Amino acid sequence: MEDVAINFPITVLGLIGIWNRTVANSWFTPACFFTMLWFMILLITRIIAPEFPAYSFGLWYIVALALALTLGSLLVPIQIVPRQERYSTLEEINFFFYRRSPAIMLLISVFSLTAILGILGLLLFGIRRYELNADLFSVLSLPGQLYDDRDAGIILIPWYIRYLTYFLMPAALLGGIITPFEKLPRKLICYLPIILSVVVGMIYTTRAGILLTLILYLSGLFSSYVLLKKDADLLSDLKTFLGLSFTVLFLISVWLFLQWLRGGASADFIFYPVLNTIKSAVFGTTAAFTTWLQHFHQHGAAFGLYTFAGPLDLIGVNERQLGFYADFITLPTGYTNIYTAFRGLIQDFTIPGSIFICLLIGFLIQLAYLRCRDGNIIWVLPLSLFYAFTLFSPFISIFTSNSVTTAWLFALVVLAFHKKKNAISYSRDTIYNR
């Protein structure tokens, strides 16, 4: 009976996602994207970690959010989206990015170069602090020592080193947006922010920066595919499937390597405890959220202090707490303090309030999707923002990071002031084969 209570809302969630896909003929409509992502997360969790606790009330809450997004998207009348007069054709879109490409690629290159300087500065700082030798084995011990000192609160990385890697997030978002418009070898520049974030993550032995950079890149990439009307068959493409499979394997490999680095390069690698740690962190989020919600009693609303902790900290309204929540939940394979982004939504706006907000978001983001698909370039930004929030929602609100907020500010500056010019006077060969 307990299995039925858990499996039934997951099944309903899947049916909502399939209905959205059938009606819109795309997996990337906002409501479908959110619903199917969470359906897959819940389904895979039930298969891989059936021993993790789950409460139906929390699962039905996720279903309610999916329904709210779906209903909100249905409220958008077709007539609200004006056609060709105010929007760009595919030729004009390609011409726009042809004109903006040098500036965007220059920004990505500059941000990547500053990150490289930050990495070199961090390595020199660590070598001096711990009096390491200039050999590979000695340098490999640096991440473990940095992790121990940071965990004990006895080290402060110089601000100039931290801020040199601050702009990898804007670079990743811009890289994702411009990737469909570039060809090799120029396209390799778009991947630099992800590669450098992996290097930074290995030195700090932190996973959040790597994950955020990858998610911002993907959110920009997906939005550009919508702009180019290539989203309908994107997931059925073999290249996309292989790319997503490689991404999953890459993240698992990086996670294992970081766990080894945290113990120090000389530490023995014990596979099963590390695997259990990954299992708790990746598949324990819904267990943590549903358990928390089952025993939660609302005592007011925080009105955005949790969901928008990064921007509010940036403007000085509230001091942001680093990392995830301070309270942990025990799981059969360990423990976790990752409660999904939904905990913050409820604490900020209450259960009914958060569902109503998702109804409004469903309306607005469906409007953004339609306008983006019809050729309005600036609507790439809110659409990519939604994709990024959804992809990071299994962990926490993506807006707990200040650098993530600056990513869309930079993208706004780069994509703003779009004026149509004589795109037709430039041949397609000029644009595509530069």
Side-chain angles (χ1 to χ4, degrees):
M1 193 68 181
E2 182 181 349
D3 286 342
V4 173
I6 295 173
N7 293 335
F8 185 55
I10 297 175
T11 304
V12 172
L13 194 65
L15 292 174
I16 296 170
I18 292 171
W19 184 87
N20 273 301
R21 170 65 175 83
T22 304
V23 170
N25 195 33
S26 173
W27 296 108
F28 288 89
T29 59
C32 184
F33 186 83
F34 174 90
T35 304
M36 292 309 297
L37 175 71
W38 271 99
F39 169 70
M40 294 303 299
I41 290 171
L42 296 175
L43 180 64
I44 294 172
T45 299
R46 289 293 294 164
I47 294 172
I48 295 180
E51 72 276 15
F52 284 7
Y55 292 91
S56 60
F57 180 59
L59 298 177
W60 280 115
Y61 173 78
I62 297 173
V63 173
L65 294 185
L67 276 173
L69 289 169
T70 301
L71 291 174
S73 67
L74 293 175
L75 294 175
V76 181
I78 296 299
Q79 293 77 11
I80 202 171
V81 185
R83 298 295 170 176
Q84 297 300 326
E85 295 83 6
R86 290 167 53 191
Y87 295 117
S88 303
T89 63
L90 289 177
E91 289 81 4
E92 289 167 334
I93 291 170
N94 281 292
F95 176 69
F96 171 83
F97 282 100
Y98 168 70
R99 292 288 299 270
R100 296 293 170 94
S101 176
I104 294 174
M105 299 299 273
L106 178 62
L107 268 180
I108 296 172
S109 301
V110 170
F111 291 159
S112 298
L113 179 60
T114 57
I116 291 172
L117 294 176
I119 291 169
L120 293 175
L122 180 59
L123 287 173
L124 292 174
F125 169 80
I127 290 172
R128 286 197 300 266
R129 177 181 174 85
Y130 301 108
E131 299 179 349
L132 302 177
N133 298 321
D135 60 80
L136 180 61
F137 185 80
S138 183
V139 172
L140 282 175
S141 69
L142 173 61
Q145 296 184 71
L146 282 174
Y147 174 75
D148 290 337
D149 284 358
R150 285 191 301 108
D151 195 43
I154 60 175
I155 188 173
L156 180 64
I157 305 297
W159 66 269
Y160 59 88
I161 293 178
R162 287 184 285 115
Y163 279 98
L164 283 173
T165 59
Y166 185 85
F167 297 102
L168 282 176
M169 304 297 175
L173 179 62
L174 292 172
I177 291 172
I178 198 66
T179 291
F181 303 94
E182 294 293 342
K183 291 185 178 296
L184 292 172
R186 284 168 57 91
K187 189 180 288 190
L188 295 175
I189 297 174
C190 303
Y191 305 140
L192 273 177
I194 299 174
I195 297 169
L196 293 174
S197 72
V198 172
V199 176
V200 173
M202 286 180 176
I203 299 174
Y204 283 116
T205 63
T206 55
R207 301 172 289 264
I210 300 172
L211 193 59
L212 282 169
T213 306
L214 183 61
I215 284 175
L216 261 67
Y217 175 85
L218 289 176
S219 67
L221 182 70
F222 293 159
S223 301
S224 285
Y225 277 126
V226 171
L227 184 66
L228 293 170
K229 299 181 178 65
K230 294 182 178 180
D231 58 303
D233 302 317
L234 184 59
L235 291 183
S236 61
D237 182 62
L238 178 61
K239 187 167 68 173
T240 303
F241 175 78
L242 292 175
L244 291 175
S245 300
F246 171 78
T247 300
V248 172
L249 291 174
F250 169 74
L251 289 174
I252 293 173
S253 302
V254 168
W255 196 307
L256 290 170
F257 188 61
L258 291 181
Q259 288 297 120
W260 175 66
L261 287 176
R262 283 187 174 186
S266 60
D268 294 331
F269 184 81
I270 306 175
F271 182 75
Y272 285 107
V274 172
L275 190 63
N276 284 334
T277 300
I278 296 175
K279 191 176 181 180
S280 297
V282 175
F283 300 107
T285 59
T286 52
F289 169 70
T290 59
T291 302
W292 169 82
L293 186 59
Q294 189 72 15
H295 303 96
F296 174 66
H297 299 286
Q298 193 89 41
H299 299 294
F303 299 107
L305 294 182
Y306 292 94
T307 304
F308 303 104
L312 292 177
D313 175 70
L314 202 62
I315 62 177
V317 173
N318 185 54
E319 185 174 349
R320 174 177 61 104
Q321 290 185 346
L322 297 178
F324 297 101
Y325 290 92
D327 50 314
F328 287 78
I329 181 174
T330 303
L331 298 170
T333 57
Y335 55 88
T336 184
N337 64 335
I338 306 173
Y339 292 86
T340 77
F342 305 141
R343 173 172 171 170
L345 278 175
I346 293 172
Q347 289 177 303
D348 282 336
F349 307 110
T350 73
I351 292 175
S354 60
I355 294 173
F356 177 72
I357 285 173
C358 281
L359 181 72
L360 296 178
I361 291 174
F363 177 88
L364 294 173
I365 208 64
Q366 179 67 11
L367 177 61
Y369 172 84
L370 292 173
R371 290 192 165 175
C372 183
R373 208 167 191 276
D374 270 1
N376 194 323
I377 295 170
I378 201 66
W379 287 87
V380 161
L381 299 182
L383 187 61
S384 63
L385 190 152
F386 176 83
Y387 287 149
F389 185 91
T390 301
L391 287 170
F392 203 62
S393 63
F395 304 100
I396 199 171
S397 168
I398 199 168
F399 297 111
T400 56
S401 170
N402 287 336
S403 56
V404 165
T405 306
T406 61
W408 276 279
L409 294 178
F410 274 102
L412 176 63
V413 171
V414 171
L415 299 183
F417 314 115
H418 174 208
K419 293 181 180 178
K420 290 187 181 182
K421 298 209 174 180
N422 296 325
I424 306 303
S425 64
Y426 287 77
S427 68
R428 293 183 181 181
D429 290 340
T430 303
I431 296 174
Y432 289 124
N433 299 321
R434 60 186 185 279

